[in-house]
mmCIF file of all heavy atoms in Angstrom:
data_model
loop_
_atom_site.group_PDB
_atom_site.id
_atom_site.type_symbol
_atom_site.label_atom_id
_atom_site.label_comp_id
_atom_site.label_asym_id
_atom_site.label_seq_id
_atom_site.Cartn_x
_atom_site.Cartn_y
_atom_site.Cartn_z
ATOM 1 N N PHE X 109 -4.866 -16.648 -1.390
ATOM 2 C CA PHE X 109 -4.756 -17.890 -0.797
ATOM 3 C C PHE X 109 -3.476 -18.710 -1.149
ATOM 4 O O PHE X 109 -2.837 -19.106 -0.179
ATOM 5 C CB PHE X 109 -5.971 -18.816 -1.051
ATOM 6 C CG PHE X 109 -5.892 -20.196 -0.435
ATOM 7 C CD1 PHE X 109 -6.243 -20.386 0.844
ATOM 8 C CD2 PHE X 109 -5.457 -21.295 -1.192
ATOM 9 C CE1 PHE X 109 -6.180 -21.647 1.423
ATOM 10 C CE2 PHE X 109 -5.339 -22.521 -0.659
ATOM 11 C CZ PHE X 109 -5.709 -22.721 0.624
ATOM 12 N N CYS X 110 -3.144 -18.769 -2.343
ATOM 13 C CA CYS X 110 -1.918 -19.384 -2.755
ATOM 14 C C CYS X 110 -0.670 -18.782 -2.212
ATOM 15 O O CYS X 110 0.252 -19.440 -1.821
ATOM 16 C CB CYS X 110 -1.822 -19.469 -4.277
ATOM 17 S SG CYS X 110 -3.139 -20.371 -5.154
ATOM 18 N N LEU X 111 -0.667 -17.410 -2.139
ATOM 19 C CA LEU X 111 0.450 -16.676 -1.516
ATOM 20 C C LEU X 111 0.591 -16.978 -0.116
ATOM 21 O O LEU X 111 1.757 -17.279 0.318
ATOM 22 C CB LEU X 111 0.200 -15.155 -1.834
ATOM 23 C CG LEU X 111 1.326 -14.257 -1.319
ATOM 24 C CD1 LEU X 111 2.718 -14.453 -2.027
ATOM 25 C CD2 LEU X 111 0.941 -12.735 -1.354
ATOM 26 N N LEU X 112 -0.468 -16.915 0.675
ATOM 27 C CA LEU X 112 -0.390 -17.170 2.070
ATOM 28 C C LEU X 112 -0.091 -18.673 2.404
ATOM 29 O O LEU X 112 0.436 -18.989 3.451
ATOM 30 C CB LEU X 112 -1.665 -16.777 2.771
ATOM 31 C CG LEU X 112 -1.942 -15.191 2.687
ATOM 32 C CD1 LEU X 112 -3.312 -14.962 3.367
ATOM 33 C CD2 LEU X 112 -0.904 -14.400 3.370
ATOM 34 N N ALA X 113 -0.512 -19.584 1.539
ATOM 35 C CA ALA X 113 -0.327 -21.034 1.757
ATOM 36 C C ALA X 113 1.182 -21.335 1.786
ATOM 37 O O ALA X 113 1.612 -22.337 2.432
ATOM 38 C CB ALA X 113 -1.085 -21.826 0.745
ATOM 39 N N LEU X 114 2.004 -20.549 1.068
ATOM 40 C CA LEU X 114 3.370 -20.895 0.964
ATOM 41 C C LEU X 114 4.084 -20.854 2.381
ATOM 42 O O LEU X 114 4.665 -21.794 2.812
ATOM 43 C CB LEU X 114 4.173 -20.005 0.000
ATOM 44 C CG LEU X 114 3.918 -20.259 -1.461
ATOM 45 C CD1 LEU X 114 4.508 -19.152 -2.335
ATOM 46 C CD2 LEU X 114 4.432 -21.602 -1.858
ATOM 47 N N PRO X 115 4.096 -19.719 3.071
ATOM 48 C CA PRO X 115 4.639 -19.739 4.425
ATOM 49 C C PRO X 115 3.889 -20.601 5.456
ATOM 50 O O PRO X 115 4.503 -21.125 6.297
ATOM 51 C CB PRO X 115 4.559 -18.306 4.845
ATOM 52 C CG PRO X 115 3.548 -17.623 3.997
ATOM 53 C CD PRO X 115 3.547 -18.347 2.717
ATOM 54 N N TRP X 116 2.632 -20.736 5.256
ATOM 55 C CA TRP X 116 1.824 -21.564 6.183
ATOM 56 C C TRP X 116 2.321 -23.071 6.115
ATOM 57 O O TRP X 116 2.558 -23.682 7.130
ATOM 58 C CB TRP X 116 0.347 -21.492 5.887
ATOM 59 C CG TRP X 116 -0.577 -22.010 6.860
ATOM 60 C CD1 TRP X 116 -1.127 -21.419 7.996
ATOM 61 C CD2 TRP X 116 -1.143 -23.408 6.939
ATOM 62 N NE1 TRP X 116 -1.978 -22.222 8.601
ATOM 63 C CE2 TRP X 116 -1.999 -23.390 8.070
ATOM 64 C CE3 TRP X 116 -0.973 -24.493 6.132
ATOM 65 C CZ2 TRP X 116 -2.649 -24.661 8.426
ATOM 66 C CZ3 TRP X 116 -1.636 -25.696 6.441
ATOM 67 C CH2 TRP X 116 -2.460 -25.753 7.604
ATOM 68 N N LEU X 117 2.460 -23.608 4.877
ATOM 69 C CA LEU X 117 2.863 -24.921 4.643
ATOM 70 C C LEU X 117 4.321 -25.084 5.070
ATOM 71 O O LEU X 117 4.764 -26.117 5.576
ATOM 72 C CB LEU X 117 2.549 -25.383 3.177
ATOM 73 C CG LEU X 117 1.073 -25.524 2.863
ATOM 74 C CD1 LEU X 117 1.025 -25.712 1.331
ATOM 75 C CD2 LEU X 117 0.483 -26.682 3.555
ATOM 76 N N THR X 118 5.154 -24.054 4.680
ATOM 77 C CA THR X 118 6.624 -24.112 5.029
ATOM 78 C C THR X 118 6.736 -24.244 6.477
ATOM 79 O O THR X 118 7.644 -24.987 6.986
ATOM 80 C CB THR X 118 7.242 -22.877 4.467
ATOM 81 O OG1 THR X 118 7.166 -22.774 3.050
ATOM 82 C CG2 THR X 118 8.693 -22.891 4.823
ATOM 83 N N ARG X 119 5.933 -23.542 7.245
ATOM 84 C CA ARG X 119 6.025 -23.607 8.756
ATOM 85 C C ARG X 119 5.809 -25.024 9.268
ATOM 86 O O ARG X 119 6.569 -25.556 10.145
ATOM 87 C CB ARG X 119 5.109 -22.651 9.383
ATOM 88 C CG ARG X 119 5.222 -22.542 10.892
ATOM 89 C CD ARG X 119 4.315 -21.524 11.455
ATOM 90 N NE ARG X 119 4.714 -21.144 12.798
ATOM 91 C CZ ARG X 119 3.903 -21.112 13.932
ATOM 92 N NH1 ARG X 119 2.647 -21.472 13.712
ATOM 93 N NH2 ARG X 119 4.370 -20.792 15.036
ATOM 94 N N TRP X 120 4.805 -25.768 8.674
ATOM 95 C CA TRP X 120 4.545 -27.100 9.137
ATOM 96 C C TRP X 120 5.623 -28.067 8.704
ATOM 97 O O TRP X 120 5.941 -28.972 9.425
ATOM 98 C CB TRP X 120 3.223 -27.487 8.557
ATOM 99 C CG TRP X 120 2.044 -27.016 9.409
ATOM 100 C CD1 TRP X 120 1.189 -25.926 9.055
ATOM 101 C CD2 TRP X 120 1.564 -27.560 10.530
ATOM 102 N NE1 TRP X 120 0.266 -25.838 10.091
ATOM 103 C CE2 TRP X 120 0.369 -26.742 11.001
ATOM 104 C CE3 TRP X 120 1.967 -28.605 11.427
ATOM 105 C CZ2 TRP X 120 -0.278 -27.057 12.133
ATOM 106 C CZ3 TRP X 120 1.301 -28.793 12.595
ATOM 107 C CH2 TRP X 120 0.209 -27.975 12.988
ATOM 108 N N LEU X 121 6.257 -27.761 7.490
ATOM 109 C CA LEU X 121 7.196 -28.673 7.018
ATOM 110 C C LEU X 121 8.611 -28.487 7.585
ATOM 111 O O LEU X 121 9.345 -29.426 7.887
ATOM 112 C CB LEU X 121 7.271 -28.562 5.460
ATOM 113 C CG LEU X 121 6.078 -29.077 4.729
ATOM 114 C CD1 LEU X 121 6.164 -28.710 3.247
ATOM 115 C CD2 LEU X 121 5.751 -30.505 4.926
ATOM 116 N N ARG X 122 9.012 -27.208 7.733
ATOM 117 C CA ARG X 122 10.388 -26.801 8.253
ATOM 118 C C ARG X 122 10.419 -26.650 9.723
ATOM 119 O O ARG X 122 11.448 -26.793 10.365
ATOM 120 C CB ARG X 122 10.911 -25.711 7.444
ATOM 121 C CG ARG X 122 11.274 -25.965 6.011
ATOM 122 C CD ARG X 122 11.948 -24.786 5.370
ATOM 123 N NE ARG X 122 13.160 -24.460 6.145
ATOM 124 C CZ ARG X 122 13.964 -23.352 5.844
ATOM 125 N NH1 ARG X 122 13.586 -22.523 4.982
ATOM 126 N NH2 ARG X 122 14.974 -23.113 6.557
ATOM 127 N N PHE X 123 9.310 -26.144 10.262
ATOM 128 C CA PHE X 123 9.304 -25.735 11.756
ATOM 129 C C PHE X 123 8.196 -26.374 12.424
ATOM 130 O O PHE X 123 7.333 -25.668 12.989
ATOM 131 C CB PHE X 123 9.318 -24.170 11.861
ATOM 132 C CG PHE X 123 10.368 -23.453 11.032
ATOM 133 C CD1 PHE X 123 9.962 -22.812 9.847
ATOM 134 C CD2 PHE X 123 11.680 -23.392 11.404
ATOM 135 C CE1 PHE X 123 10.887 -22.158 9.077
ATOM 136 C CE2 PHE X 123 12.565 -22.744 10.664
ATOM 137 C CZ PHE X 123 12.219 -22.166 9.493
ATOM 138 N N PRO X 124 7.980 -27.674 12.342
ATOM 139 C CA PRO X 124 6.890 -28.384 12.965
ATOM 140 C C PRO X 124 6.706 -28.058 14.502
ATOM 141 O O PRO X 124 5.618 -28.025 15.004
ATOM 142 C CB PRO X 124 7.087 -29.771 12.695
ATOM 143 C CG PRO X 124 8.549 -29.927 12.384
ATOM 144 C CD PRO X 124 8.960 -28.673 11.822
ATOM 145 N N ALA X 125 7.866 -27.940 15.183
ATOM 146 C CA ALA X 125 7.805 -27.671 16.593
ATOM 147 C C ALA X 125 7.045 -26.460 16.935
ATOM 148 O O ALA X 125 6.255 -26.297 17.838
ATOM 149 C CB ALA X 125 9.220 -27.716 17.254
ATOM 150 N N ALA X 126 7.452 -25.368 16.135
ATOM 151 C CA ALA X 126 6.799 -24.067 16.377
ATOM 152 C C ALA X 126 5.289 -24.079 15.977
ATOM 153 O O ALA X 126 4.424 -23.509 16.702
ATOM 154 C CB ALA X 126 7.486 -22.979 15.517
ATOM 155 N N ALA X 127 4.970 -24.909 14.869
ATOM 156 C CA ALA X 127 3.569 -24.911 14.582
ATOM 157 C C ALA X 127 2.752 -25.732 15.661
ATOM 158 O O ALA X 127 1.661 -25.304 15.955
ATOM 159 C CB ALA X 127 3.478 -25.696 13.218
ATOM 160 N N LEU X 128 3.368 -26.788 16.152
ATOM 161 C CA LEU X 128 2.668 -27.527 17.218
ATOM 162 C C LEU X 128 2.592 -26.772 18.426
ATOM 163 O O LEU X 128 1.546 -26.890 19.260
ATOM 164 C CB LEU X 128 3.357 -28.897 17.384
ATOM 165 C CG LEU X 128 3.295 -29.847 16.282
ATOM 166 C CD1 LEU X 128 4.249 -31.078 16.485
ATOM 167 C CD2 LEU X 128 1.828 -30.361 16.144
ATOM 168 N N GLN X 129 3.509 -25.969 18.813
ATOM 169 C CA GLN X 129 3.526 -25.218 20.027
ATOM 170 C C GLN X 129 2.350 -24.082 19.938
ATOM 171 O O GLN X 129 1.655 -23.937 20.946
ATOM 172 C CB GLN X 129 4.814 -24.432 20.261
ATOM 173 C CG GLN X 129 4.903 -23.649 21.503
ATOM 174 C CD GLN X 129 6.268 -22.978 21.612
ATOM 175 O OE1 GLN X 129 6.968 -22.740 20.652
ATOM 176 N NE2 GLN X 129 6.501 -22.492 22.900
ATOM 177 N N THR X 130 2.039 -23.662 18.744
ATOM 178 C CA THR X 130 1.060 -22.680 18.599
ATOM 179 C C THR X 130 -0.330 -23.342 18.874
ATOM 180 O O THR X 130 -1.384 -22.732 19.229
ATOM 181 C CB THR X 130 0.966 -22.055 17.184
ATOM 182 O OG1 THR X 130 2.275 -21.424 16.958
ATOM 183 C CG2 THR X 130 -0.082 -21.012 17.003
ATOM 184 N N LEU X 131 -0.455 -24.648 18.538
ATOM 185 C CA LEU X 131 -1.672 -25.436 18.768
ATOM 186 C C LEU X 131 -2.091 -25.354 20.265
ATOM 187 O O LEU X 131 -3.264 -25.685 20.609
ATOM 188 C CB LEU X 131 -1.564 -26.773 18.287
ATOM 189 C CG LEU X 131 -1.870 -27.131 16.860
ATOM 190 C CD1 LEU X 131 -1.652 -28.606 16.474
ATOM 191 C CD2 LEU X 131 -3.386 -26.722 16.519
ATOM 192 N N GLN X 132 -1.197 -25.239 21.156
ATOM 193 C CA GLN X 132 -1.386 -25.187 22.566
ATOM 194 C C GLN X 132 -1.508 -23.790 23.187
ATOM 195 O O GLN X 132 -1.646 -23.617 24.342
ATOM 196 C CB GLN X 132 -0.388 -25.954 23.329
ATOM 197 C CG GLN X 132 -0.372 -27.451 22.889
ATOM 198 C CD GLN X 132 0.646 -28.347 23.614
ATOM 199 O OE1 GLN X 132 0.579 -28.369 24.896
ATOM 200 N NE2 GLN X 132 1.530 -28.979 22.996
ATOM 201 N N HIS X 133 -1.356 -22.744 22.324
ATOM 202 C CA HIS X 133 -1.474 -21.419 22.794
ATOM 203 C C HIS X 133 -2.926 -21.084 23.072
ATOM 204 O O HIS X 133 -3.805 -21.473 22.407
ATOM 205 C CB HIS X 133 -0.918 -20.475 21.673
ATOM 206 C CG HIS X 133 -0.754 -19.008 22.179
ATOM 207 N ND1 HIS X 133 -1.795 -18.143 22.347
ATOM 208 C CD2 HIS X 133 0.366 -18.387 22.545
ATOM 209 C CE1 HIS X 133 -1.301 -17.005 22.785
ATOM 210 N NE2 HIS X 133 -0.031 -17.055 22.789
ATOM 211 N N PRO X 134 -3.134 -20.383 24.250
ATOM 212 C CA PRO X 134 -4.607 -20.178 24.661
ATOM 213 C C PRO X 134 -5.423 -19.298 23.655
ATOM 214 O O PRO X 134 -6.606 -19.253 23.744
ATOM 215 C CB PRO X 134 -4.377 -19.461 26.058
ATOM 216 C CG PRO X 134 -3.052 -18.976 26.023
ATOM 217 C CD PRO X 134 -2.233 -19.866 25.187
ATOM 218 N N VAL X 135 -4.771 -18.451 22.895
ATOM 219 C CA VAL X 135 -5.472 -17.551 21.962
ATOM 220 C C VAL X 135 -5.166 -17.994 20.521
ATOM 221 O O VAL X 135 -6.084 -18.128 19.719
ATOM 222 C CB VAL X 135 -5.027 -16.071 22.210
ATOM 223 C CG1 VAL X 135 -5.721 -15.180 21.146
ATOM 224 C CG2 VAL X 135 -5.422 -15.710 23.644
ATOM 225 N N GLN X 136 -3.884 -18.057 20.161
ATOM 226 C CA GLN X 136 -3.537 -18.275 18.731
ATOM 227 C C GLN X 136 -4.040 -19.564 18.224
ATOM 228 O O GLN X 136 -4.327 -19.606 16.957
ATOM 229 C CB GLN X 136 -2.014 -18.188 18.512
ATOM 230 C CG GLN X 136 -1.447 -16.798 18.812
ATOM 231 C CD GLN X 136 0.059 -16.680 18.562
ATOM 232 O OE1 GLN X 136 0.614 -17.472 17.788
ATOM 233 N NE2 GLN X 136 0.766 -15.786 19.195
ATOM 234 N N ALA X 137 -4.164 -20.569 18.981
ATOM 235 C CA ALA X 137 -4.653 -21.839 18.482
ATOM 236 C C ALA X 137 -5.986 -21.803 17.781
ATOM 237 O O ALA X 137 -6.343 -22.509 16.809
ATOM 238 C CB ALA X 137 -4.688 -22.891 19.624
ATOM 239 N N SER X 138 -6.859 -20.899 18.279
ATOM 240 C CA SER X 138 -8.207 -20.801 17.814
ATOM 241 C C SER X 138 -8.224 -20.271 16.265
ATOM 242 O O SER X 138 -9.246 -20.415 15.606
ATOM 243 C CB SER X 138 -9.005 -19.861 18.625
ATOM 244 O OG SER X 138 -9.221 -20.414 19.909
ATOM 245 N N PHE X 139 -7.083 -19.675 15.861
ATOM 246 C CA PHE X 139 -7.058 -19.125 14.548
ATOM 247 C C PHE X 139 -6.528 -20.054 13.450
ATOM 248 O O PHE X 139 -6.623 -19.819 12.293
ATOM 249 C CB PHE X 139 -6.213 -17.870 14.508
ATOM 250 C CG PHE X 139 -6.827 -16.704 15.327
ATOM 251 C CD1 PHE X 139 -6.456 -16.463 16.606
ATOM 252 C CD2 PHE X 139 -7.765 -15.913 14.752
ATOM 253 C CE1 PHE X 139 -7.163 -15.398 17.303
ATOM 254 C CE2 PHE X 139 -8.418 -14.839 15.338
ATOM 255 C CZ PHE X 139 -7.990 -14.697 16.771
ATOM 256 N N TYR X 140 -6.004 -21.249 13.899
ATOM 257 C CA TYR X 140 -5.596 -22.221 12.952
ATOM 258 C C TYR X 140 -6.688 -22.671 11.915
ATOM 259 O O TYR X 140 -6.456 -22.813 10.822
ATOM 260 C CB TYR X 140 -5.081 -23.494 13.681
ATOM 261 C CG TYR X 140 -3.524 -23.509 13.724
ATOM 262 C CD1 TYR X 140 -2.947 -23.632 14.880
ATOM 263 C CD2 TYR X 140 -2.811 -23.419 12.536
ATOM 264 C CE1 TYR X 140 -1.461 -23.682 15.049
ATOM 265 C CE2 TYR X 140 -1.393 -23.465 12.613
ATOM 266 C CZ TYR X 140 -0.787 -23.548 13.881
ATOM 267 O OH TYR X 140 0.633 -23.627 13.887
ATOM 268 N N PRO X 141 -7.956 -22.887 12.389
ATOM 269 C CA PRO X 141 -9.011 -23.297 11.531
ATOM 270 C C PRO X 141 -9.370 -22.223 10.460
ATOM 271 O O PRO X 141 -10.297 -22.506 9.633
ATOM 272 C CB PRO X 141 -10.174 -23.597 12.432
ATOM 273 C CG PRO X 141 -9.521 -23.903 13.703
ATOM 274 C CD PRO X 141 -8.368 -22.966 13.859
ATOM 275 N N THR X 142 -8.859 -21.032 10.582
ATOM 276 C CA THR X 142 -9.171 -20.043 9.444
ATOM 277 C C THR X 142 -8.641 -20.611 8.090
ATOM 278 O O THR X 142 -9.256 -20.244 7.077
ATOM 279 C CB THR X 142 -8.485 -18.659 9.724
ATOM 280 O OG1 THR X 142 -7.108 -18.785 9.848
ATOM 281 C CG2 THR X 142 -9.053 -17.985 11.065
ATOM 282 N N PHE X 143 -7.646 -21.530 8.118
ATOM 283 C CA PHE X 143 -7.120 -22.101 6.942
ATOM 284 C C PHE X 143 -8.214 -22.942 6.293
ATOM 285 O O PHE X 143 -8.488 -22.843 5.125
ATOM 286 C CB PHE X 143 -5.904 -22.823 7.195
ATOM 287 C CG PHE X 143 -5.300 -23.497 5.966
ATOM 288 C CD1 PHE X 143 -4.359 -22.857 5.180
ATOM 289 C CD2 PHE X 143 -5.574 -24.870 5.674
ATOM 290 C CE1 PHE X 143 -3.905 -23.392 4.040
ATOM 291 C CE2 PHE X 143 -5.007 -25.448 4.479
ATOM 292 C CZ PHE X 143 -4.177 -24.787 3.680
ATOM 293 N N SER X 144 -8.792 -23.797 7.089
ATOM 294 C CA SER X 144 -9.841 -24.716 6.552
ATOM 295 C C SER X 144 -11.132 -23.929 6.137
ATOM 296 O O SER X 144 -11.892 -24.329 5.253
ATOM 297 C CB SER X 144 -10.122 -25.822 7.546
ATOM 298 O OG SER X 144 -10.326 -25.331 8.844
ATOM 299 N N ILE X 145 -11.502 -22.970 7.004
ATOM 300 C CA ILE X 145 -12.629 -22.166 6.613
ATOM 301 C C ILE X 145 -12.425 -21.413 5.331
ATOM 302 O O ILE X 145 -13.294 -21.268 4.492
ATOM 303 C CB ILE X 145 -12.988 -21.100 7.778
ATOM 304 C CG1 ILE X 145 -13.410 -21.961 9.024
ATOM 305 C CG2 ILE X 145 -14.199 -20.298 7.353
ATOM 306 C CD1 ILE X 145 -13.642 -21.080 10.174
ATOM 307 N N ALA X 146 -11.249 -20.915 5.080
ATOM 308 C CA ALA X 146 -10.854 -20.252 3.926
ATOM 309 C C ALA X 146 -11.065 -21.239 2.687
ATOM 310 O O ALA X 146 -11.547 -20.832 1.636
ATOM 311 C CB ALA X 146 -9.406 -19.780 3.858
ATOM 312 N N LEU X 147 -10.714 -22.474 2.767
ATOM 313 C CA LEU X 147 -10.986 -23.495 1.757
ATOM 314 C C LEU X 147 -12.428 -23.652 1.454
ATOM 315 O O LEU X 147 -12.895 -23.718 0.312
ATOM 316 C CB LEU X 147 -10.368 -24.863 2.196
ATOM 317 C CG LEU X 147 -8.897 -24.875 2.168
ATOM 318 C CD1 LEU X 147 -8.379 -26.189 2.851
ATOM 319 C CD2 LEU X 147 -8.330 -24.891 0.730
ATOM 320 N N LEU X 148 -13.274 -23.689 2.540
ATOM 321 C CA LEU X 148 -14.716 -23.761 2.317
ATOM 322 C C LEU X 148 -15.302 -22.545 1.674
ATOM 323 O O LEU X 148 -16.213 -22.648 0.788
ATOM 324 C CB LEU X 148 -15.383 -23.988 3.671
ATOM 325 C CG LEU X 148 -14.990 -25.332 4.350
ATOM 326 C CD1 LEU X 148 -15.540 -25.339 5.833
ATOM 327 C CD2 LEU X 148 -15.516 -26.480 3.587
ATOM 328 N N VAL X 149 -14.746 -21.360 2.067
ATOM 329 C CA VAL X 149 -15.169 -20.126 1.375
ATOM 330 C C VAL X 149 -14.844 -20.140 -0.139
ATOM 331 O O VAL X 149 -15.591 -19.788 -0.986
ATOM 332 C CB VAL X 149 -14.651 -18.917 2.099
ATOM 333 C CG1 VAL X 149 -14.925 -17.540 1.289
ATOM 334 C CG2 VAL X 149 -15.240 -18.767 3.475
ATOM 335 N N LEU X 150 -13.592 -20.609 -0.363
ATOM 336 C CA LEU X 150 -13.178 -20.668 -1.787
ATOM 337 C C LEU X 150 -14.084 -21.676 -2.555
ATOM 338 O O LEU X 150 -14.278 -21.476 -3.774
ATOM 339 C CB LEU X 150 -11.688 -21.192 -1.832
ATOM 340 C CG LEU X 150 -10.623 -20.085 -1.509
ATOM 341 C CD1 LEU X 150 -9.330 -20.647 -1.284
ATOM 342 C CD2 LEU X 150 -10.633 -18.979 -2.587
ATOM 343 N N ALA X 151 -14.489 -22.729 -1.929
ATOM 344 C CA ALA X 151 -15.391 -23.696 -2.605
ATOM 345 C C ALA X 151 -16.668 -22.964 -2.972
ATOM 346 O O ALA X 151 -17.162 -23.107 -4.133
ATOM 347 C CB ALA X 151 -15.749 -24.852 -1.616
ATOM 348 N N ALA X 152 -17.185 -22.150 -2.102
ATOM 349 C CA ALA X 152 -18.470 -21.382 -2.508
ATOM 350 C C ALA X 152 -18.126 -20.391 -3.564
ATOM 351 O O ALA X 152 -18.957 -20.149 -4.478
ATOM 352 C CB ALA X 152 -18.951 -20.635 -1.229
ATOM 353 N N GLN X 153 -16.947 -19.760 -3.597
ATOM 354 C CA GLN X 153 -16.678 -18.830 -4.681
ATOM 355 C C GLN X 153 -16.546 -19.544 -6.017
ATOM 356 O O GLN X 153 -17.149 -19.044 -7.022
ATOM 357 C CB GLN X 153 -15.242 -18.231 -4.425
ATOM 358 C CG GLN X 153 -15.214 -17.216 -3.253
ATOM 359 C CD GLN X 153 -13.816 -16.593 -3.125
ATOM 360 O OE1 GLN X 153 -13.337 -16.394 -2.025
ATOM 361 N NE2 GLN X 153 -13.160 -16.269 -4.207
ATOM 362 N N TRP X 154 -15.862 -20.725 -6.079
ATOM 363 C CA TRP X 154 -15.783 -21.450 -7.336
ATOM 364 C C TRP X 154 -17.084 -21.907 -7.856
ATOM 365 O O TRP X 154 -17.354 -21.915 -9.035
ATOM 366 C CB TRP X 154 -14.803 -22.652 -7.180
ATOM 367 C CG TRP X 154 -13.332 -22.211 -7.204
ATOM 368 C CD1 TRP X 154 -12.623 -21.856 -6.155
ATOM 369 C CD2 TRP X 154 -12.448 -22.061 -8.371
ATOM 370 N NE1 TRP X 154 -11.328 -21.544 -6.590
ATOM 371 C CE2 TRP X 154 -11.226 -21.583 -7.863
ATOM 372 C CE3 TRP X 154 -12.679 -22.325 -9.711
ATOM 373 C CZ2 TRP X 154 -10.144 -21.360 -8.728
ATOM 374 C CZ3 TRP X 154 -11.597 -22.051 -10.545
ATOM 375 C CH2 TRP X 154 -10.301 -21.667 -10.114
#
């Protein structure tokens, strides 16, 4: 999670236009919440 969070957060900070464009993609936008679900799964793990 920590490894993948680096490019994920970098995209939002350095390339916000690209990140926001994905939010309107008919398929890829649905996968954004995998980040928040991953946090909930990690909560269960801890």
Side-chain angles (χ1 to χ4, degrees):
F109 174 82
C110 294
L111 179 65
L112 296 177
L114 287 174
W116 193 89
L117 291 171
T118 300
R119 188 176 194 231
W120 279 102
L121 294 173
R122 290 189 57 189
F123 310 102
L128 290 171
Q129 184 178 18
T130 304
L131 273 176
Q132 300 184 55
H133 191 280
V135 176
Q136 293 183 25
S138 296
F139 292 94
Y140 260 126
T142 59
F143 181 85
S144 49
I145 297 176
L147 288 168
L148 296 172
V149 171
L150 285 168
Q153 287 182 226
W154 282 88

